[in-house]
Amino acid sequence: MCGIVGYIGEKQAGPILLNCLSWLECRGYDSCGIAVAGGDLTVYKNAVRVKALEETLPPGIKGTAGIGHTRWATHGEPSQVNAHPHGDCAGKIVVVHNGVINNFQKLRQQLSGEGHSFISETDTEVIPHLVEKYYDGDLAKAVAIALDEVVGSYAIIVMMAGEPGLVAARKDSPLIIGIGDRENYIASDVPAVLDYTNRVIYLEDDDIGVITADDVKVTRQGAGVDRKRHRILWSMEDARKGGYGHFMLKEIHEQPKVIRDTIQAYLLAEESTEDLFGPGDTYRASMLLLACGTSYHAAMIGKYLLEELFGTPVRTELASEFNYHGYNIAVDRAIVITQSGETADVLKAMKRLTGAGCPVTAITNVMGSTASRMAQRVVYTRAGPEISVAATKSFIAQLMALYWLALLYSKIDISQRDNLVTKMRQLPGKVQQVLDNDAVILKCAGQLVGYDHTFFVGRGINFPVAMEGALKLKEISYIHAEGYAAGELKHGTFALLGREAPVVAVVAQDDTYEAMLTGIKEIKARHSPVIALVAEGDETVGELADTVITVPQTDAIFSPVVNTVALQLLAYYTAKQRGCPIDFPRNLAKSVTVD
Ligand code: M6R
């Protein structure tokens, strides 16, 4: 998705904007640009990576204020002309925008009729023209009037030649202001400014901010509002590669620590009481778990856990589908799971749920994110900043939160619970064993690398693990991978099995074991090569499968943790051998802020 940044202060804006933009690359983009104000406005943009844009800039660009953008194309192909910033007719106003203007066609027609000429195919270009139309000496006022005519979602920064400040505004798209010392920053994501400041203000929907080097003024419908200043606890060091070839590998290797930190926080610190999730009754009544993508797979695992330990049914929904259901949505409690806290489908579902009077708990990784502010209760995961587009450590941290919820309110007796907590505390060591055993996984990646199609199968609590393994492989290696409930292959998909379609089977030591063995035999009978994930000590599966990846023994409910980590590595090494851009896969974005 698009990313936006702004700077105003005493330093040269160009290099700062480019550095901030480089931290937004993981959002996914196809073109980028900056505009710098040094008397006149100068715009540099193209359908290239940030580094390439930097290399083509003329030396010595002057200007101590500027705005920048990474574009993920929605309206119009990736090209120089469609890249942001976009300007008005007179070349005095420039705008960067994240979001979608739904009524841009109508506005464009109207403005064209009034003499404005457009050069791009974008929805964004109407904004600088609207601001130009309404400008009468007060930029913030012109922006406010312009935005009154706009239907859609936006986070924007507007800069005008000769005006002392940048104007920022948001609706349904995140925007923060970074507070510096005689300089200020604006960005769609906190990491973009962390090299310069850890003090931020989160703008709310309909806020308009006027940002100068020394001051930040926020208004809402013309009246001034005070927005709290937050101190961000992540450092940029947390977000650097730290010697690993890719963020994804670093983040996979951080998982023992993430599990330890999460357990520590939930188990020992102040959150060890019911304060964390709030009163248990609503969770044990009718509950809905809602999320997208990898977080949805965590929700699916949560369903197994909670049903097992609470003994009550739990519903899971894809947020993107939930928003189009007409049925009565009343449930006693909804939990939304979202790493970024900015996924548009999730936020839309949250609005719908709160509108229906349902209390919503958000499990999120990003403090101050929109989901964290919309929810009645927030449980933070302790993954730290996740830069790679492929979610890894945030998924494992989400599982930890769900394990904790399940254990906190389960109806199991205390000794059984203590036993599970003890096993949960052994997980960092078990995950470390998986990481240390990567030579076998590397070898399996070598077996997968030449195929075009794969299937991942699992049963019970490991069915979502198979789906997650498939998602990881497809998104970073571009190999077609489908995650299946193992028992479902025979209901149609068997037609695709054969020597050209390997199957990765996740075999757990639980009541699904025998059925998985039968499934593997059936797959082998159709000549598909099988890579099986098995628990240490299993002698049987090795006789059926072509290759075996062994993971440490755990209680069955924790098997998704070790199995997922092994599949993350499998995807990583496969993508690496295929030479894919692992951290920034094509067409994808870290937080999907459009629906
Ligand atoms: O930030 P969220 O957890 O709400 O993101 C949801 C999905 O977009 C995300 O999990 C996506 O599937 C992963 N990045 C894929 O690895």
Side-chain angles (χ1 to χ4, degrees):
M1 300 292 111
C2 308
I4 63 179
V5 297
Y7 171 79
I8 186 158
E10 295 173 344
K11 302 184 187 122
Q12 290 305 320
I16 293 175
L17 294 170
L18 291 165
N19 182 42
C20 294
L21 286 180
S22 72
W23 286 104
L24 297 181
E25 291 194 282
C26 62
R27 290 178 67 99
Y29 72 108
D30 42 55
S31 55
C32 59
I34 61 170
V36 173
D40 289 338
L41 299 181
T42 333
V43 176
Y44 307 93
K45 57 183 188 174
N46 214 337
V48 292
R49 311 291 297 173
V50 173
K51 189 85 197 120
L53 182 75
E54 186 174 2
E55 283 162 9
T56 57
L57 293 181
I61 304 167
K62 292 268 180 279
T64 55
I67 61 179
H69 192 263
T70 48
R71 174 174 186 253
W72 188 80
T74 55
H75 298 68
E77 61 169 4
S79 66
Q80 205 261 348
V81 76
N82 287 332
H84 298 214
H86 288 285
D88 63 335
C89 297
K92 288 200 168 307
I93 296 168
V94 279
V95 172
V96 286
H97 166 224
N98 183 11
V100 173
I101 308 297
N102 299 332
N103 61 338
F104 85 98
Q105 296 280 23
K106 190 174 140 229
L107 292 170
R108 196 170 161 131
Q109 259 171 18
Q110 269 171 16
L111 288 160
S112 298
E114 292 163 12
H116 292 259
S117 52
F118 292 84
I119 52 175
S120 80
E121 299 159 88
T122 65
D123 52 339
T124 302
E125 203 183 354
V126 295
I127 302 176
H129 287 274
L130 279 173
V131 175
E132 178 180 37
K133 173 175 168 181
Y134 293 117
Y135 182 75
D136 68 356
D138 182 339
L139 182 60
K141 194 170 140 213
V143 171
I145 301 170
L147 291 178
D148 272 347
E149 297 201 7
V150 163
V151 178
S153 61
Y154 51 79
I156 57 166
I157 312 176
V158 185
M159 181 168 74
M160 183 169 184
E163 277 277 333
L166 304 176
V167 177
R170 70 156 274 179
K171 183 155 193 287
D172 294 334
S173 195
L175 198 58
I176 62 115
I177 298 171
I179 311 293
D181 185 16
R182 287 190 304 189
E183 59 183 8
N184 288 307
Y185 301 81
I186 309 167
S188 48
D189 300 67
V190 169
V193 302
L194 278 182
D195 265 341
Y196 307 102
T197 180
N198 64 357
R199 287 178 295 145
V200 305
I201 292 172
Y202 295 96
L203 289 184
E204 302 277 349
D205 275 354
D206 302 319
D207 281 357
I208 296 193
V210 178
I211 296 100
T212 59
D214 303 307
D215 196 21
V216 174
K217 278 200 174 63
V218 182
T219 58
R220 202 180 168 77
Q221 275 139 15
V225 283
D226 249 353
R227 291 277 171 246
K228 197 172 156 204
R229 293 176 180 213
H230 299 258
R231 195 168 286 277
I232 303 296
L233 301 176
W234 298 344
S235 74
M236 253 359 255
E237 265 326 294
D238 294 329
R240 289 190 207 283
K241 277 191 204 149
Y244 287 93
H246 295 94
F247 284 112
M248 183 180 178
L249 189 61
K250 175 192 172 235
E251 288 160 6
I252 290 174
H253 277 264
E254 282 172 347
Q255 292 176 117
K257 179 175 182 309
V258 165
I259 298 173
R260 215 171 283 121
D261 288 354
T262 308
I263 297 176
Q264 193 80 359
Y266 294 173
L267 193 67
L268 302 175
E270 75 282 4
E271 290 169 329
S272 61
T273 65
E274 292 203 349
D275 287 350
L276 185 60
F277 278 96
D281 294 350
T282 52
Y283 292 97
R284 283 187 295 254
S286 64
M287 191 177 10
L288 169 67
L289 297 177
L290 220 137
C292 295
T294 290
S295 300
Y296 178 68
H297 299 150
M300 288 173 74
I301 292 171
K303 174 184 164 72
Y304 281 93
L305 280 177
L306 297 167
E307 288 185 342
E308 175 86 18
L309 294 176
F310 288 7
T312 49
V314 173
R315 216 171 95 205
T316 52
E317 295 253 9
L318 287 163
S320 51
E321 279 300 306
F322 174 80
N323 293 324
Y324 299 95
H325 281 323
Y327 57 66
N328 179 5
I329 57 168
V331 281
D332 291 319
R333 167 73 61 177
I335 301 184
V336 299
I337 306 175
T338 167
Q339 185 282 131
S340 62
E342 302 296 351
T343 300
D345 291 321
V346 173
L347 300 181
K348 197 165 168 183
M350 287 178 84
K351 271 190 192 155
R352 199 162 170 233
L353 284 160
T354 28
C358 170
V360 178
T361 300
I363 297 180
T364 184
N365 196 39
V366 181
M367 221 164 258
S369 57
T370 308
S372 77
R373 284 176 289 125
M374 282 172 71
Q376 281 70 49
R377 185 164 284 279
V378 186
V379 176
Y380 286 108
T381 47
R382 308 294 167 132
E386 188 175 69
I387 305 296
S388 176
V389 165
T392 53
K393 60 176 181 167
S394 63
F395 173 77
I396 294 297
Q398 289 165 351
L399 292 190
M400 290 303 125
L402 291 164
Y403 284 127
W404 192 243
L405 170 66
L407 291 173
L408 193 65
Y409 293 134
S410 72
K411 293 185 179 148
I412 56 177
D413 66 52
I414 201 86
S415 65
Q416 199 186 347
R417 185 156 84 186
D418 287 352
N419 179 31
L420 287 174
V421 171
T422 305
K423 292 198 167 134
M424 193 172 163
R425 299 180 80 158
Q426 292 165 354
L427 284 174
K430 307 258 178 196
V431 168
Q432 191 58 51
Q433 274 176 263
V434 178
L435 299 174
D436 294 343
N437 187 28
D438 66 347
V440 180
I441 301 175
L442 186 60
K443 192 174 128 220
C444 290
Q447 291 164 2
L448 278 187
V449 78
Y451 289 98
D452 294 326
H453 303 281
T454 56
F455 295 93
F456 283 63
V457 295
R459 276 182 185 256
I461 201 167
N462 281 287
F463 161 41
V465 170
M467 296 194 55
E468 177 58 10
L471 178 60
K472 285 293 88 94
L473 187 73
K474 73 183 121 190
E475 69 177 323
I476 61 165
S477 77
Y478 310 153
I479 296 175
H480 172 223
E482 284 191 56
Y484 259 90
E488 281 296 298
L489 278 189
K490 58 183 176 290
H491 297 291
T493 311
F494 265 17
L496 296 174
L497 294 189
R499 292 183 215 287
E500 298 310 312
V503 176
V504 179
V506 185
V507 186
Q509 294 285 342
D510 57 14
D511 57 357
T512 65
Y513 184 76
E514 292 301 331
M516 281 302 296
L517 290 190
T518 309
I520 293 174
K521 284 181 199 155
E522 290 167 359
I523 293 163
K524 281 304 304 173
R526 272 103 196 144
H527 308 296
S528 279
V530 172
I531 296 174
L533 237 71
V534 301
E536 240 168 16
D538 186 306
E539 305 280 321
T540 315
V541 178
E543 289 167 16
L544 304 174
D546 297 85
T547 318
V548 158
I549 299 173
T550 304
V551 295
Q553 291 263 8
T554 53
D555 188 281
I557 67 162
F558 297 123
S559 60
V561 175
V562 285
N563 288 336
T564 304
V565 174
L567 295 182
Q568 292 167 350
L569 284 172
L570 183 64
Y572 174 81
Y573 286 127
T574 310
K576 191 160 177 225
Q577 290 177 37
R578 285 169 69 97
C580 296
I582 293 175
D583 286 329
F584 312 118
R586 68 182 176 214
N587 302 337
L588 297 183
K590 184 68 184 161
S591 45
V592 184
T593 51
V594 294
D595 60 12

